[in-house]
Amino acid sequence: MRAIERLIALLRDPQAAAGVPADAWPAILSVARGEVMLGTLAHHLAGQSLPPAIAAHLAAAARAADHARTLALWEAEMCRRALAPLGIAPILLKGTAYAAAGLSNAAGRQIGDLDILVPRDRLDEGETALLGAGWEWVKDDAYDQAYYRHWMHELPPLIHAERDRMVDVHHTILPLTASPRPDAAAMIADAVPVSRLDDGPTPPMGLLTLSPSDMVLHCAAHLIADGELDGGLRNLWDFHCLLNCYE
């Protein structure tokens, strides 16, 4: 059995770990890392009998994912504070949205950039507020700035000068050059305050997520339209978990 097949089998049935040969684990961990699912695997195999070195490796991955989640949620709060004086409530997208809402696919998920959605007619105000709060451009040359602003679904990426955390400010969910034209205004109008599906801490007021149906649609759009195959299994896992969460 190939390593990717073993990884999928373990995600479906963690108890299958008992039947994994010792010499198969390095390849499984390598594939999980390549799919950005090492922390997810660690979460699903918690409590299973594993070779000591593998258990230690997965425990470290779980701690790293927990730390990344804490950083992501704090960055969301900093973004909320920066935009609050304008009356703009950022709509969390992707990994940070899953973590804030306590969705099942957030467990062990490695979160990188903060992705938010704001109305397109408020982009200039939001951009000014974030720049004033310590974020700065990652791509500041004229070509990149023009490309993002004319053709993309988001502003050029921003990074905070002190916290070294990136934020992608979206105004829709697909590039403007894409054939499908999602109704971003309708998605924004249907956004909901963050509420948790688990027993985790109550999120701060003023943060939103897409509605359940729009969150599923955004996940599907990201899965289909993403030009990179790396992490494709994670996208499928997100879609699977969202369907189960909101069935």
Side-chain angles (χ1 to χ4, degrees), residues 89-116:
I91 301 171
L92 304 180
L93 301 174
K94 301 180 184 177
T96 307
Y98 306 151
L103 303 184
S104 62
N105 56 326
R109 195 181 197 278
Q110 186 68 34
I111 304 174
D113 304 343
L114 170 64
D115 293 275
I116 63 171

Short mmCIF file of all heavy atoms in Angstrom, two decimals, residues 89-116:
data_model
loop_
_atom_site.label_atom_id
_atom_site.label_comp_id
_atom_site.label_asym_id
_atom_site.label_seq_id
_atom_site.Cartn_x
_atom_site.Cartn_y
_atom_site.Cartn_z
N ALA A 89 -16.43 44.76 10.12
CA ALA A 89 -16.22 43.51 10.84
C ALA A 89 -15.59 42.51 9.87
O ALA A 89 -16.25 42.11 8.90
CB ALA A 89 -17.54 42.96 11.38
N PRO A 90 -14.34 42.12 10.08
CA PRO A 90 -13.71 41.21 9.12
C PRO A 90 -14.37 39.84 9.13
O PRO A 90 -14.71 39.29 10.18
CB PRO A 90 -12.26 41.12 9.63
CG PRO A 90 -12.33 41.50 11.06
CD PRO A 90 -13.45 42.48 11.20
N ILE A 91 -14.57 39.30 7.94
CA ILE A 91 -15.12 37.95 7.78
C ILE A 91 -13.95 37.00 7.63
O ILE A 91 -13.19 37.07 6.66
CB ILE A 91 -16.04 37.88 6.54
CG1 ILE A 91 -17.19 38.88 6.68
CG2 ILE A 91 -16.58 36.47 6.37
CD1 ILE A 91 -18.02 39.03 5.41
N LEU A 92 -13.77 36.12 8.61
CA LEU A 92 -12.66 35.18 8.58
C LEU A 92 -12.89 34.11 7.52
O LEU A 92 -14.01 33.65 7.31
CB LEU A 92 -12.50 34.51 9.95
CG LEU A 92 -12.33 35.44 11.15
CD1 LEU A 92 -12.20 34.62 12.42
CD2 LEU A 92 -11.13 36.35 10.98
N LEU A 93 -11.82 33.73 6.85
CA LEU A 93 -11.87 32.70 5.81
C LEU A 93 -10.90 31.58 6.14
O LEU A 93 -9.96 31.75 6.91
CB LEU A 93 -11.51 33.30 4.45
CG LEU A 93 -12.36 34.45 3.92
CD1 LEU A 93 -11.75 35.00 2.63
CD2 LEU A 93 -13.80 34.00 3.68
N LYS A 94 -11.16 30.43 5.56
CA LYS A 94 -10.24 29.29 5.56
C LYS A 94 -9.88 28.86 6.99
O LYS A 94 -10.74 28.77 7.86
CB LYS A 94 -9.00 29.61 4.72
CG LYS A 94 -9.31 29.96 3.27
CD LYS A 94 -8.03 30.28 2.52
CE LYS A 94 -8.31 30.74 1.09
NZ LYS A 94 -7.07 31.13 0.38
N GLY A 95 -8.58 28.60 7.21
CA GLY A 95 -8.16 27.98 8.45
C GLY A 95 -8.52 28.74 9.71
O GLY A 95 -8.93 28.14 10.71
N THR A 96 -8.39 30.06 9.68
CA THR A 96 -8.72 30.84 10.88
C THR A 96 -10.20 30.79 11.16
O THR A 96 -10.63 30.75 12.32
CB THR A 96 -8.24 32.29 10.72
OG1 THR A 96 -6.85 32.31 10.36
CG2 THR A 96 -8.42 33.06 12.02
N ALA A 97 -11.02 30.77 10.12
CA ALA A 97 -12.47 30.64 10.32
C ALA A 97 -12.80 29.29 10.94
O ALA A 97 -13.62 29.20 11.86
CB ALA A 97 -13.19 30.80 8.99
N TYR A 98 -12.16 28.23 10.46
CA TYR A 98 -12.42 26.90 11.01
C TYR A 98 -12.03 26.85 12.49
O TYR A 98 -12.75 26.27 13.31
CB TYR A 98 -11.64 25.83 10.24
CG TYR A 98 -11.87 25.82 8.75
CD1 TYR A 98 -10.87 25.38 7.87
CD2 TYR A 98 -13.06 26.25 8.19
CE1 TYR A 98 -11.07 25.36 6.50
CE2 TYR A 98 -13.27 26.24 6.81
CZ TYR A 98 -12.26 25.80 5.97
OH TYR A 98 -12.45 25.79 4.61
N ALA A 99 -10.89 27.45 12.81
CA ALA A 99 -10.42 27.43 14.19
C ALA A 99 -11.33 28.26 15.09
O ALA A 99 -11.67 27.84 16.21
CB ALA A 99 -8.99 27.96 14.27
N ALA A 100 -11.72 29.44 14.64
CA ALA A 100 -12.57 30.30 15.45
C ALA A 100 -13.92 29.65 15.73
O ALA A 100 -14.49 29.82 16.82
CB ALA A 100 -12.77 31.65 14.76
N ALA A 101 -14.43 28.90 14.76
CA ALA A 101 -15.74 28.27 14.90
C ALA A 101 -15.66 26.89 15.56
O ALA A 101 -16.70 26.26 15.81
CB ALA A 101 -16.42 28.15 13.54
N GLY A 102 -14.45 26.40 15.83
CA GLY A 102 -14.31 25.10 16.46
C GLY A 102 -14.75 23.95 15.59
O GLY A 102 -15.26 22.95 16.09
N LEU A 103 -14.55 24.05 14.29
CA LEU A 103 -14.95 22.99 13.38
C LEU A 103 -13.98 21.80 13.47
O LEU A 103 -12.82 21.96 13.86
CB LEU A 103 -15.00 23.51 11.94
CG LEU A 103 -15.93 24.71 11.70
CD1 LEU A 103 -15.96 25.07 10.23
CD2 LEU A 103 -17.33 24.43 12.21
N SER A 104 -14.45 20.64 13.10
CA SER A 104 -13.65 19.43 13.29
C SER A 104 -12.35 19.45 12.50
O SER A 104 -11.34 18.89 12.94
CB SER A 104 -14.47 18.19 12.92
OG SER A 104 -14.86 18.21 11.55
N ASN A 105 -12.35 20.09 11.32
CA ASN A 105 -11.12 20.10 10.53
C ASN A 105 -10.08 21.07 11.07
O ASN A 105 -8.95 21.11 10.58
CB ASN A 105 -11.42 20.42 9.06
CG ASN A 105 -12.16 21.71 8.87
OD1 ASN A 105 -13.00 22.09 9.70
ND2 ASN A 105 -11.90 22.41 7.79
N ALA A 106 -10.44 21.85 12.10
CA ALA A 106 -9.47 22.76 12.72
C ALA A 106 -8.53 22.01 13.64
O ALA A 106 -7.45 22.51 13.97
CB ALA A 106 -10.19 23.85 13.49
N ALA A 107 -8.91 20.81 14.09
CA ALA A 107 -8.10 20.07 15.05
C ALA A 107 -6.78 19.65 14.41
O ALA A 107 -6.76 18.87 13.46
CB ALA A 107 -8.86 18.83 15.53
N GLY A 108 -5.69 20.21 14.89
CA GLY A 108 -4.37 19.89 14.36
C GLY A 108 -4.02 20.61 13.07
O GLY A 108 -2.93 20.41 12.54
N ARG A 109 -4.91 21.46 12.58
CA ARG A 109 -4.68 22.10 11.28
C ARG A 109 -3.60 23.18 11.40
O ARG A 109 -3.66 24.03 12.29
CB ARG A 109 -5.97 22.73 10.76
CG ARG A 109 -5.94 23.09 9.27
CD ARG A 109 -7.28 23.72 8.89
NE ARG A 109 -7.53 23.75 7.48
CZ ARG A 109 -7.06 24.68 6.63
NH1 ARG A 109 -6.29 25.64 7.09
NH2 ARG A 109 -7.35 24.63 5.35
N GLN A 110 -2.64 23.14 10.50
CA GLN A 110 -1.61 24.17 10.46
C GLN A 110 -2.18 25.40 9.76
O GLN A 110 -2.65 25.32 8.62
CB GLN A 110 -0.38 23.67 9.71
CG GLN A 110 0.81 24.62 9.75
CD GLN A 110 1.42 24.76 11.14
OE1 GLN A 110 1.44 23.79 11.90
NE2 GLN A 110 1.89 25.94 11.47
N ILE A 111 -2.17 26.54 10.43
CA ILE A 111 -2.72 27.78 9.87
C ILE A 111 -1.58 28.72 9.56
O ILE A 111 -0.73 28.98 10.42
CB ILE A 111 -3.71 28.44 10.84
CG1 ILE A 111 -4.82 27.46 11.22
CG2 ILE A 111 -4.31 29.70 10.22
CD1 ILE A 111 -5.75 27.99 12.28
N GLY A 112 -1.55 29.23 8.35
CA GLY A 112 -0.51 30.18 7.95
C GLY A 112 -1.02 31.61 7.97
O GLY A 112 -1.19 32.22 9.03
N ASP A 113 -1.31 32.13 6.78
CA ASP A 113 -1.76 33.52 6.68
C ASP A 113 -3.17 33.69 7.23
O ASP A 113 -3.96 32.73 7.26
CB ASP A 113 -1.75 33.98 5.22
CG ASP A 113 -0.40 33.82 4.56
OD1 ASP A 113 0.60 33.67 5.29
OD2 ASP A 113 -0.35 33.83 3.32
N LEU A 114 -3.48 34.90 7.65
CA LEU A 114 -4.85 35.26 8.00
C LEU A 114 -5.54 35.73 6.72
O LEU A 114 -5.05 36.63 6.03
CB LEU A 114 -4.84 36.39 9.03
CG LEU A 114 -6.20 37.05 9.32
CD1 LEU A 114 -7.17 36.05 9.93
CD2 LEU A 114 -6.02 38.27 10.22
N ASP A 115 -6.67 35.11 6.39
CA ASP A 115 -7.47 35.50 5.23
C ASP A 115 -8.78 36.10 5.72
O ASP A 115 -9.49 35.48 6.51
CB ASP A 115 -7.76 34.29 4.34
CG ASP A 115 -6.51 33.74 3.68
OD1 ASP A 115 -6.13 34.25 2.62
OD2 ASP A 115 -5.91 32.80 4.24
N ILE A 116 -9.08 37.32 5.25
CA ILE A 116 -10.33 37.97 5.62
C ILE A 116 -11.03 38.47 4.36
O ILE A 116 -10.39 38.69 3.32
CB ILE A 116 -10.12 39.13 6.60
CG1 ILE A 116 -9.27 40.25 5.96
CG2 ILE A 116 -9.49 38.65 7.90
CD1 ILE A 116 -9.21 41.53 6.79
#
